[in-house]
Amino acid sequence: MSERVAVRKTYKLFIGGKFPRSESGRSYLVQSSNVSLASRKDARDAVVAARAAVKGWAGATAYNRGQILYRAAEMLEGRREQFVALGVPGDEVDAAVDRWVWYAGWADKLSQVYGGANPVAGPYFNISTPEPTGVVAVVAPERPALLGLVSVIAPAIVTGNTVVVAASPTEPLAAVTLAEVLATSDLPGGVVNILTGRITETAPTLAAHMDVNAVDLSGVTDAELAADLEVKAAENLKRVLRPAPADHDWSADPGVARMTTLLETKTVWHPKGV
Amino acid sequence: MFEYAPAPESRSVVDLKPTYGLFIDGAFVDPTDGGSFKSINPASEEVLAEVAEAGAQDVERAVRAARKAYEKVWGPMSGRDRAKYLFRIARLIQERSRELAVLESLDNGKPIKESRDVDLPLVAAHFFYYAGWADKLEHAGFGADPKPIGVAAQVIPWNFPLLMLAWKIAPALAAGNTVVLKPAETTPLTALLFAEICQQAELPAGVVNIITGAGDTGRTLVEHPGVDKVAFTGSTDVGRAIARSVAGTRKKLTLELGGKAANIVFDDAPIDQAVEGIVNGIFFNQGHVCCAGSRLLVQENVADRVLESLKRRMAQLRVGDPLDKNTDIGAINSAAQLERIRELSDAGSAEGAERWSPPCELPDRGFWFAPTIFTGVTQAHRIAREEIFGPVLSVLTFRTPAEAVEKANNTPYGLSAGIWTDKGSRILWTADRLRAGVVWANTFNKFDPTSPFGGYKESGYGREGGRHGLEGYLNV
């Protein structure tokens, strides 16, 4: 009996809930696999998909978003071995699941903690509510490939934003596998879009894109590139999360800034009187 | 009214045992003194199961189990892990929701439409919501490192058996407390099924203990010196007695008691919407709702129009088999409650109010009361002052907004209120002046796990739900 010949997986992009190859037809060899090498056009396509998903996702109830994120945690836990096989340490997968659960619980709590009634000096009802900013472009940390990725995606989408993520160029397989998790989690297509390839190619397009509302530069390690991206982002005043320090501990308590930076506060006034 | 074919929900999804023990320290156990009572289906008077009655020794066992679990397991456990158990429970409730809904309707008498579409979704959502708090209590605004209180004694009523259980247990566990819960004696069965769900979730033994019994069991539980927190939902009289009994102790107390809510309809209100809200406000759950809109205050110049429309709508309500999916109004929960509704309604007639019910055939067996309104009610009438807790609406009129507010607040209660008007500023002006814990504008009886619920004045103190609901279970 000969040994069974394995069926290998093709690692592709994740755009609008589908798994297309790069429109450029390019790939690059990394982690012993041919991985799609996303082009500028792929980045723009991903922004279009992310924008199309904003209305439904931001309009979903916080409860519904929380349910879906929790479902993603369930799916992630179920694929634990698959991530381990890609070289992600088991502890890191566990931490990623827990992080996802932590953020899931924030969906219907953030507006009570960071919004509320304001006691203005007059006969007015005045209330502030946080709302998602819109489309967020994210440069994911190069490593830890899974925990870093989850730590930047979950806080952006839990509040109703949609994201275009440039995955770790050197360890992209965890990102594509996470896309498969998300594709089976009732997450609407386009809420999370994942590009694999060169940061230097996709990030400038995303940072300069006029239909992107915020950039998260967490994974940018080159200070000059980071400054350039921030300058590009200034054109339409994107909200900016600056690169994480080189020694950043992704397993530590993440705090809430990753969520709050990607929110707008809306304050409504209404008179009181008969 | 056109005829509907019967559309009964199947009972086969529920696997009832003939007898139930007490759920103490993770297992079902027999009561020490062997007492028991029967839980019946109020729609048929059929016995559903025989349930253990917990005596003083059983209360002792339950409190001790809760204490041990608090000190050894649940208290020291990380919020992250507590959250995971609560998420599991939320998921199990979602998975078994049909079974729970049918059992709730069987034991309580409420229409399956309500247990299936209101109670159960809210129960699951409540656990889901508080699960998410367990690992982020430091963000709740009660200090950087808030601590649980300890062992919570929780006594709940029969009107929303499983939902009240969720309102009690979910925040208590999220905050790190352990609980001993006593469901009402007429509706213990879904709480016992919930105990099985705790087992299925592999919740550590002793974190949730469920003891069944009547008033004596409840009294013994809340007076037990090993209890650190008492949470009660029920009548104002019992709430007062509990407040007295914890006086001089260190027990933290929250109470959610009776109500006599005003539902105020201004002359610019959308009348059809308002009528739907009035019907929902008083006939939802047979009027067995502490926040029911039991006093309709309608502006005089639209009173005739509103009443005409209300009567027409009431004639469409379908009273009968709680398991029928078309039923709007189910059975009154017990013979004693039916007697109370009858007595107060008779007092309404005797005191001079005018009584009206639509033509309505009631089943022969079981406990039933036709939807009823009283007009010509004055503020002095008993039916305007006392909580009826049944499908009986008292109608009063007013001329000015100030008079509406005056009448709405003329009650020792202060749980909820309704306002119907097309003018936003009037909603807010009125809401500012109402002494009530929940004010619904152009809607009624809306509940959500994120929204705090609770009363002013003799409707109790403390809030359940939302970020605020954590406070009653934290040592703040």
Side-chain angles (χ1 to χ4, degrees):
Chain A
M1 281 282 280
S2 60
E3 217 171 280
R4 180 175 178 276
V5 177
V7 176
R8 289 183 182 167
K9 182 156 86 185
T10 310
Y11 288 92
K12 297 189 287 185
L13 308 176
F14 184 50
I15 298 176
K18 296 188 168 64
F19 292 89
R21 292 190 180 81
S22 170
E23 59 80 36
S24 66
R26 301 177 305 170
S27 65
Y28 70 118
L29 185 62
V30 61
Q31 292 182 285
S32 311
S33 297
N34 289 321
V35 173
S36 287
L37 183 59
S39 66
R40 293 178 186 83
K41 175 73 164 76
D42 291 322
R44 291 196 299 273
D45 288 348
V47 172
V48 170
R51 174 59 62 194
V54 166
K55 191 173 175 218
W57 184 240
T61 63
Y63 177 53
N64 186 228
R65 285 200 304 271
Q67 292 268 305
I68 289 173
L69 261 70
Y70 184 76
R71 176 77 176 158
E74 290 180 344
M75 295 296 104
L76 187 53
E77 175 118 1
R79 289 184 187 239
R80 190 177 187 279
E81 294 316 312
Q82 209 173 332
F83 285 98
V84 170
L86 292 176
V88 180
D91 289 354
E92 187 188 329
V93 183
D94 294 344
V97 173
D98 290 356
R99 171 101 359 128
W100 203 278
V101 170
W102 188 76
Y103 277 117
W106 269 113
D108 52 9
K109 296 174 185 67
L110 203 80
S111 62
Q112 250 176 8
V113 173
Y114 292 95
N118 309 306
V120 294
Y124 296 95
F125 172 81
N126 180 293
I127 191 163
S128 297
T129 322
E131 290 187 354
T133 189
V135 174
V136 182
V138 181
V139 179
E142 204 159 339
R143 58 184 64 83
L146 178 63
L147 181 59
L149 188 65
V150 165
S151 299
V152 292
I153 292 177
I157 65 171
V158 66
T159 56
N161 296 298
T162 64
V163 295
V164 177
V165 185
S168 168
T170 51
E171 296 179 25
L173 299 194
V176 181
T177 307
L178 183 72
E180 292 159 13
V181 167
L182 299 177
T184 52
S185 301
D186 298 333
L187 190 75
V191 173
V192 173
N193 305 276
I194 297 181
L195 304 171
T196 48
R198 297 189 198 105
I199 299 302
T200 48
E201 209 167 350
T202 51
T205 301
L206 295 169
H209 200 296
M210 293 301 277
D211 203 24
V212 169
N213 301 89
V215 289
D216 174 354
L217 305 178
S218 291
V220 181
T221 48
D222 173 349
E224 211 171 307
L225 175 62
D228 175 57
L229 294 173
E230 199 171 332
V231 167
K232 286 188 164 64
E235 182 61 25
N236 64 340
L237 297 174
K238 292 181 183 71
R239 287 79 179 110
V240 177
L241 276 164
R242 291 204 167 114
D247 59 350
H248 183 72
D249 177 8
W250 288 97
S251 62
D253 177 348
V256 295
R258 295 199 158 271
M259 290 183 287
T260 55
T261 307
L262 304 177
L263 291 170
E264 310 292 336
T265 292
K266 178 179 286 170
T267 300
V268 176
W269 292 67
H270 193 293
K272 296 175 173 181
V274 290
Chain B
M1 177 151 59
F2 57 91
E3 292 300 317
Y4 283 73
E9 178 68 45
S10 170
R11 288 177 58 155
S12 63
V13 65
V14 173
D15 184 18
L16 266 177
K17 299 190 182 82
T19 60
Y20 284 89
L22 308 167
F23 184 66
I24 296 176
D25 209 13
F28 284 95
V29 297
D30 291 331
T32 309
D33 66 2
S36 71
F37 61 98
K38 294 178 170 65
S39 191
I40 65 166
N41 177 348
S44 65
E45 300 177 56
E46 131 206 39
V47 174
L48 292 170
E50 191 147 333
V51 179
E53 180 160 18
Q57 287 180 13
D58 303 312
V59 171
E60 179 67 39
R61 275 199 290 172
V63 172
R64 204 177 295 150
R67 172 64 56 193
K68 190 182 74 186
Y70 174 68
E71 286 173 356
K72 301 265 189 268
V73 187
W74 201 248
M77 189 183 284
S78 72
R80 190 181 65 193
D81 289 346
R82 287 202 311 274
K84 286 181 184 168
Y85 282 110
L86 288 167
F87 277 124
R88 273 190 199 173
I89 290 173
R91 283 299 202 219
L92 287 164
I93 289 167
Q94 288 177 321
E95 288 156 16
R96 300 179 67 176
S97 68
R98 184 57 60 94
E99 182 186 358
L100 288 159
V102 171
L103 182 56
E104 194 77 313
S105 279
L106 280 174
D107 203 20
N108 168 279
K110 66 174 67 200
I112 186 72
K113 191 164 73 174
E114 292 178 7
S115 51
R116 183 194 61 197
D117 298 345
V118 180
D119 296 56
L120 262 298
L122 281 171
V123 170
H126 222 82
F127 275 99
F128 210 90
Y129 175 77
Y130 278 107
W133 270 123
D135 58 3
K136 40 186 85 71
L137 294 173
E138 67 274 22
H139 296 282
F142 301 109
D145 188 19
K147 300 288 184 209
I149 301 172
V151 173
Q154 306 179 315
V155 177
I156 58 170
W158 46 261
N159 58 341
F160 295 91
L162 200 57
L163 184 56
M164 293 300 101
L165 173 149
W167 284 23
K168 295 283 179 287
I169 292 183
L173 264 49
N177 306 275
T178 58
V179 306
V180 181
L181 176 130
K182 189 197 85 69
E185 64 270 32
T186 59
T187 55
L189 298 182
T190 46
L192 294 165
L193 187 49
F194 176 81
E196 288 179 17
I197 285 175
C198 292
Q199 289 179 324
Q200 208 178 355
E202 293 174 23
L203 186 73
V207 173
V208 167
N209 304 274
I210 296 190
I211 57 170
T212 42
D216 283 343
T217 306
R219 192 176 309 113
T220 310
L221 174 60
V222 303
E223 291 179 0
H224 193 288
V227 157
D228 305 300
K229 151 82 188 185
V230 174
F232 171 75
T233 296
S235 74
T236 292
D237 283 345
V238 174
R240 235 189 291 276
I242 291 175
R244 287 193 196 103
S245 81
V246 303
T249 71
R250 298 174 61 81
K251 293 174 191 172
K252 186 165 181 165
L253 178 64
T254 46
L255 298 169
E256 203 267 90
L257 309 175
K260 193 71 191 177
N263 203 355
I264 305 168
V265 179
F266 288 104
D267 59 7
D268 66 342
I271 300 290
D272 289 346
Q273 272 181 47
V275 166
E276 287 304 312
I278 293 162
V279 167
N280 172 270
I282 188 61
F283 301 123
F284 175 64
N285 203 35
Q286 297 75 247
H288 300 330
V289 185
C290 46
C291 54
S294 53
R295 285 183 300 151
L296 174 63
L297 301 184
V298 56
Q299 201 152 15
E300 204 175 80
N301 52 335
V302 291
D304 290 345
R305 266 177 65 205
V306 170
L307 284 172
E308 187 191 345
S309 182
L310 175 61
K311 287 177 176 175
R312 193 167 56 229
R313 181 66 181 81
M314 282 173 67
Q316 306 300 315
L317 293 172
R318 310 182 70 85
V319 184
D321 181 6
L323 285 188
D324 193 305
K325 291 163 200 145
N326 292 320
T327 294
D328 297 308
I329 300 183
I332 301 302
N333 180 251
S334 65
Q337 185 57 29
L338 179 59
E339 186 47 40
R340 160 113 185 129
I341 298 167
R342 283 183 177 149
E343 189 230 318
L344 271 165
S345 300
D346 291 346
S349 301
E351 288 183 339
E354 189 182 329
R355 177 174 181 161
W356 183 86
S357 290
C360 179
E361 261 183 56
L362 300 178
D364 299 329
R365 293 181 59 77
F367 316 126
W368 306 94
F369 198 90
T372 300
I373 57 171
F374 281 95
T375 50
V377 178
T378 76
Q379 296 184 82
H381 287 163
R382 281 184 70 194
I383 54 169
R385 309 203 61 78
E386 296 180 34
E387 185 177 39
I388 301 173
F389 224 62
V392 181
L393 178 69
S394 302
V395 184
L396 296 86
T397 59
F398 67 91
R399 289 185 179 173
T400 65
E403 187 189 347
V405 168
E406 180 76 28
K407 285 184 167 166
N409 287 337
N410 183 10
T411 167
Y413 295 112
L415 189 52
S416 67
I419 303 168
W420 299 85
T421 167
D422 258 356
K423 198 172 170 191
S425 59
R426 180 179 287 160
I427 291 172
L428 297 166
W429 181 93
T430 310
D432 266 2
R433 283 156 183 76
L434 292 174
R435 299 279 293 162
V438 182
V439 178
W440 287 292
N442 294 331
T443 185
F444 209 91
N445 274 343
K446 289 287 175 289
F447 308 96
D448 192 281
T450 68
S451 178
F453 184 94
Y456 281 39
K457 301 194 280 186
E458 293 180 28
S459 289
Y461 39 73
R463 292 292 178 269
E464 296 184 301
R467 187 182 66 76
H468 301 74
L470 288 168
E471 189 176 1
Y473 291 98
L474 290 171
N475 200 353
V476 291

